[in-house]
Amino acid sequence: MQVLDNILKNARRMRKRIVLSEGDDERVLEAAVRAAKDGLADIILVGDRGKIEATAAGKGLPLEDVALIDPAESPLAPALAEELHRLREKKGMTRELAEQEVLKPLVFADLMVRLGQADGSVAGAVHTTADVVRSAIQLVGVKPGTRLVSSFFLMVMEEPHHRRKGGMIFSDCGLVIDPSAEELAEIAMAAADNARALLDQEPKIAMLSFSTSGSAKHAAVDKVVTAARKVRAERPELAIDEDVQLDAAIVSEIARLKLPDSRVKGEANVLIFPDLEAGNIGYKLAERIGGATAIGPLLQGLAKPANDLSRGCSVDDVYHVIAVTAVQAQALEQRG
């Protein structure tokens, strides 16, 4: 797939340090070893050394290309515990409790990212989304100037039956249930940055609705319009349509009829759904009926990349999320 091939190529261009905290899971381990061998990133596995080595031996996987850190024996643990204590002391975290918490691979890995000892983290094959997101927000932290952590899917459509081929960003399909207009604007701007990083394209944003350019009157439409205008005020360089139905967002002939003054012109590569219900249904329709490949949910709005996996993920899923995380880290570095 060309979209994924480009992401893999970009990941190799400037190898980042990606830490995975579920190395005793066979899928994660196989993907990590493959990613390291292919040069996608410098891979760090955090976990129980004995379990990871036993899993690797059972699968016949060599570990010489990955760094393996066992929190119980790592010289990094005291510094990470000190940082955790500093971060969470007002929430009742004692130094003794911090020393115990950093023995948890997920905590250890995210603190490595926070302190610059890794550029991004990947988890979720074993941990729940709630655990992964909570750890990322508390330990990696929220991007300065951002008020919301949300999610997106990278949707890849490159099968022969796809009328329009390439990649798209769908957001938010996995985290924020009923965003306000302000939150929807944050989601749109974060998704635009990910479109630029992962698709190598200028973002063209459609704020999806059951209305196009005021064809319906409702508070739900008002929310979408307000959000779009907030994006336009803050990021005037972005091409964005206000309330727009899906067909006018992605079919140029329909856009010409319904939105003759549109800057997106029916060529949206970023679809912003008005709420989680619509987003979740939308990406699953595209995946299950439309035959698109869905990669995610991926997180946005964090200070550094920390991505979630589905607990039903495949080896390929983990491999591709490693690559996406590496490219996100590159983009963050380039934006300064």
Side-chain angles (χ1 to χ4, degrees):
M1 291 185 180
Q2 184 176 345
V3 172
L4 293 177
D5 287 345
N6 285 341
I7 289 171
L8 298 177
K9 179 185 71 175
N10 289 336
R12 293 186 187 100
R13 202 175 46 180
M14 190 186 300
R15 287 173 58 150
K16 292 298 181 182
R17 299 162 299 169
I18 305 302
V19 60
L20 297 97
S21 55
E22 299 165 329
D24 54 346
D25 181 276
E26 291 182 358
R27 300 161 298 172
V28 173
L29 185 58
E30 185 174 342
V33 169
R34 179 177 153 201
K37 181 181 177 182
D38 291 350
L40 295 188
D42 293 327
I43 299 295
I44 305 165
L45 291 174
V46 173
D48 184 296
R49 181 179 298 275
K51 290 182 179 178
I52 293 173
E53 290 178 343
T55 301
K59 295 286 290 184
L61 295 170
L63 293 176
E64 60 263 23
D65 292 329
V66 303
L68 176 54
I69 298 177
D70 187 332
E73 60 187 32
S74 173
L76 296 175
L80 299 186
E82 180 64 32
E83 179 67 7
L84 179 59
H85 177 236
R86 185 190 70 78
L87 280 174
R88 306 294 294 167
E89 184 176 13
K90 292 182 179 179
K91 300 292 186 180
M93 177 71 68
T94 64
R95 179 57 195 254
E96 293 74 18
L97 183 56
E99 290 172 352
Q100 291 299 312
E101 285 294 303
V102 297
L103 298 179
K104 298 176 180 178
L106 179 61
V107 173
F108 193 101
D110 281 344
L111 285 167
M112 286 185 68
V113 175
R114 180 180 184 88
L115 293 181
Q117 292 155 347
D119 300 303
S121 69
V122 175
V126 178
H127 293 86
T128 66
T129 291
D131 287 339
V132 173
V133 174
R134 185 184 309 111
S135 178
I137 291 173
Q138 292 179 353
L139 305 181
V140 176
V142 177
K143 181 181 175 182
T146 299
R147 297 177 293 276
L148 182 73
V149 173
S150 57
S151 75
F152 70 97
F153 277 84
L154 171 62
M155 306 297 293
V156 181
M157 293 156 286
E158 294 181 344
E159 297 298 328
H161 69 272
H162 287 134
R163 177 181 175 186
R164 174 179 166 177
K165 292 179 170 56
M168 299 182 76
I169 302 296
F170 284 22
S171 189
D172 182 348
C173 306
L175 202 58
V176 184
I177 296 173
D178 187 16
S180 65
E182 291 76 13
E183 290 171 333
L184 208 56
E186 289 267 0
I187 290 167
M189 290 185 283
D193 289 338
N194 279 302
R196 187 176 284 115
L198 298 175
L199 303 179
D200 284 334
Q201 297 173 359
E202 283 301 305
K204 296 182 178 181
I205 309 166
M207 305 296 287
L208 295 181
S209 175
F210 57 85
S211 166
T212 295
S213 191
S215 64
K217 304 298 182 184
H218 192 275
V221 179
D222 295 340
K223 179 178 81 167
V224 169
V225 171
T226 300
R229 291 177 181 175
K230 287 180 179 294
V231 173
R232 190 175 289 119
E234 190 164 336
R235 301 274 295 273
E237 80 282 4
L238 291 175
I240 184 169
D241 283 340
E242 294 183 1
D243 55 318
V244 60
Q245 292 166 305
L246 179 63
D247 54 358
I250 62 173
V251 181
S252 56
E253 304 93 283
I254 296 175
R256 278 195 295 271
L257 293 172
K258 292 186 174 184
L259 286 168
D261 297 326
S262 169
R263 288 177 60 193
V264 175
K265 300 184 184 305
E267 298 175 350
N269 54 15
V270 179
L271 300 184
I272 304 301
F273 293 86
D275 56 34
L276 187 61
E277 189 170 37
N280 187 269
I281 292 167
Y283 101 80
K284 287 182 177 177
L285 276 171
E287 181 184 29
R288 301 299 178 181
I289 295 179
T293 298
I295 298 172
L298 305 161
L299 300 181
Q300 56 189 14
L302 294 165
K304 297 180 182 179
N307 280 319
D308 184 29
L309 298 163
S310 163
R311 279 181 285 174
C313 63
S314 67
V315 172
D316 282 348
D317 292 334
V318 183
Y319 181 83
H320 290 138
V321 172
I322 291 170
V324 166
T325 307
V327 173
Q328 286 180 306
Q330 291 175 13
L332 184 67
E333 183 177 274
Q334 290 164 1
R335 289 196 297 267

